Amino acid sequence: MLRQVLLGVSRSSKIKQAVTAVPVSSGIVSRFVAGETHLVSDGLNVTIDRLGEDTTNPDEAKATADAYLELLDRLADAGLTANAEVSVKLSAVGQALPGDGEKIALDNARTICRAARNAGTTVTLDMEDHTTTDSTLEILRELRQDFPETGAVLQAYLRRTEADCRDLAHAGSRVRLCKGAYKEPESVAFQPKLDVDKSYVRCLKVLMKGSGYPMVASHDPQLIAIAGSLADRYGREQGTFEYQMLYGVRPDEQLRLSREGNTMRVYVPYGQDWYGYLVRRMAEKPANLQFFLRSLISKK
Ligand SMILES: Cc1cc2nc3c(=O)[nH]c(=O)nc-3n(C[C@H](O)[C@H](O)[C@H](O)COP(=O)(O)OP(=O)(O)OC[C@H]3O[C@@H](n4cnc5c(N)ncnc54)[C@H](O)[C@@H]3O)c2cc1C
């Protein structure tokens, strides 16, 4: 219920204006959002997301792509590209613009993929709400013609996802499986947590059994245990799949998985445009909301 309400208000521009006007620079924001190029050491890998979504004009879309190019340059200069890739939201590089938005997003994403390839790393295309799934998978297909290493994201809460997993479980295909973070109607998405979890397991089976590279993006202890068992069952060696978690969530578990020899990648958002990201995190865990409210009150 709280999740639905929060995901609903996250789209309201008035609420966004009111909330982002409050100077919240510490507490929950810094817990989940790295202000600058903050990289995780201790043997963890990272995927870096420049915060921002729903770009409203082509110049902004281009500026986002340019920011990724600069980030990739910096990563290369710092010798970090073996362990650091980038995550890109197509809506931040123009997908939702009227008219030729999809083409603008494809061109910008292609530029980022080329820069990532030159820097020795990869791009993963984040998945947004279900109205963008077909378009995102089509752009992925185009990008993979030149950059087959480009990662996909599939969301277990969508009823279509098991079939999408079958399509994408081929050799060389990097697929991040997450539960899904948007408010979606019953017609396209499972609603009860149990149904989403069951779908996650069915999808994970397809990916682990297939010949691609599954990326298990979840903090759920049960699903992480199941992922390990499925990897054993299908004879997957460490290094043929990876775990992923968000920066700031279950950091001890991130280290534990890494120390056991697993590839563990942390999703690190950076930048100023933190609102949409943070609201989705609060919708996932009410304790995060209490923490956020406390940090607002303590600012006054
Ligand atoms: C690397 C990564 C990339 C992602 N990319 C996308 C994307 O492109 N598109 C998209 O829609 N979504 C994305 N997500 C978000 C995802 O869809 C979920 O909304 C989010 O991961 C929460 O789901 P969960 O699997 O952790 O399980 P939940 O059902 O939220 O939680 C299950 C259990 O995990 C544990 N847990 C969860 N959160 C916490 C916490 N804060 N502290 C302690 N324990 C906790 C608890 O035991 C909880 O009961 C991504 C998530 C990750 C990790």
Side-chain angles (χ1 to χ4, degrees):
M1 174 65 182
L2 178 63
R3 176 174 182 274
Q4 300 295 312
V5 172
L6 275 168
L7 293 177
V9 300
S10 76
R11 293 274 173 188
S12 154
S13 57
K14 278 200 183 125
I15 292 177
K16 176 175 176 175
Q17 266 172 11
V19 175
T20 52
V22 181
V24 195
S25 56
S26 60
I28 195 145
V29 175
S30 57
R31 176 168 166 196
F32 290 106
V33 183
E36 258 308 307
T37 330
H38 177 98
L39 295 173
V40 185
S41 54
D42 281 335
L44 300 172
N45 300 282
V46 297
T47 183
I48 304 176
D49 163 50
R50 183 168 189 279
L51 286 167
E53 46 204 273
D54 299 334
T55 291
T56 52
N57 69 64
D59 291 343
E60 217 178 286
K62 166 91 171 37
T64 299
D66 288 345
Y68 271 103
L69 303 191
E70 196 190 326
L71 171 63
L72 286 161
D73 266 355
R74 283 213 233 163
L75 291 175
D77 287 349
L80 289 167
T81 47
N83 300 97
E85 65 142 31
V86 296
S87 283
V88 174
K89 282 190 176 45
L90 288 176
S91 77
V93 292
Q95 187 182 30
L97 297 175
D100 52 359
E102 287 192 18
K103 183 172 179 313
I104 293 172
L106 173 60
D107 289 347
N108 282 326
R110 206 192 291 281
T111 308
I112 299 170
C113 287
R114 190 172 299 114
R117 164 84 63 85
N118 291 340
T121 188
T122 50
V123 174
T124 294
L125 297 184
D126 281 353
M127 190 59 87
E128 300 177 70
D129 73 74
H130 82 279
T131 62
T132 66
T133 311
D134 281 329
S135 158
T136 299
L137 292 179
E138 179 54 29
I139 291 174
L140 174 84
R141 205 182 57 74
E142 294 266 349
L143 289 172
R144 280 186 168 180
Q145 288 179 11
D146 293 324
F147 306 102
E149 66 274 24
T150 307
V153 177
L154 295 176
Q155 298 153 317
Y157 64 14
L158 294 185
R159 296 175 193 275
R160 60 177 286 167
T161 293
E162 199 179 338
D164 288 333
C165 285
R166 280 194 285 273
D167 287 347
L168 291 179
H170 55 79
S173 174
R174 298 167 59 245
V175 181
R176 175 195 300 160
L177 181 66
C178 61
K179 288 190 188 179
Y182 296 80
K183 182 183 176 195
E184 299 289 16
E186 226 249 315
S187 54
V188 298
F190 301 109
Q191 306 292 321
K193 179 180 173 337
L194 186 62
D195 291 352
V196 176
D197 290 357
K198 282 185 187 164
S199 169
Y200 196 104
V201 174
R202 287 195 302 273
C203 293
L204 199 53
K205 264 187 199 159
V206 173
L207 295 177
M208 286 287 189
K209 194 175 175 186
S211 44
Y213 182 84
M215 303 188 276
V216 183
S218 178
H219 313 101
D220 194 322
Q222 231 184 336
L223 293 180
I224 288 162
I226 290 172
S229 308
L230 287 174
D232 288 346
R233 184 193 300 177
Y234 296 116
R236 280 189 174 266
E237 312 265 315
Q238 281 173 341
T240 66
F241 70 101
E242 70 183 42
Y243 294 97
Q244 298 190 341
M245 291 190 193
L246 302 177
Y247 179 73
V249 180
R250 304 198 70 203
D252 295 342
E253 177 67 357
Q254 296 175 9
L255 288 175
R256 184 190 72 80
L257 285 165
S258 168
R259 286 182 187 141
E260 283 184 356
N262 297 291
T263 306
M264 175 77 228
R265 190 176 299 279
V266 182
Y267 185 103
V268 182
Y270 83 102
Q272 300 303 312
D273 197 357
W274 50 265
Y275 178 79
Y277 180 83
L278 204 61
V279 171
R280 287 194 292 278
R281 301 294 76 83
M282 291 192 296
E284 279 152 19
K285 200 160 167 73
N288 293 337
L289 173 64
Q290 286 160 18
F291 187 25
F292 179 61
L293 291 175
R294 266 205 307 275
S295 83
L296 282 182
I297 291 160
S298 65
K299 286 268 149 198
K300 288 187 176 157

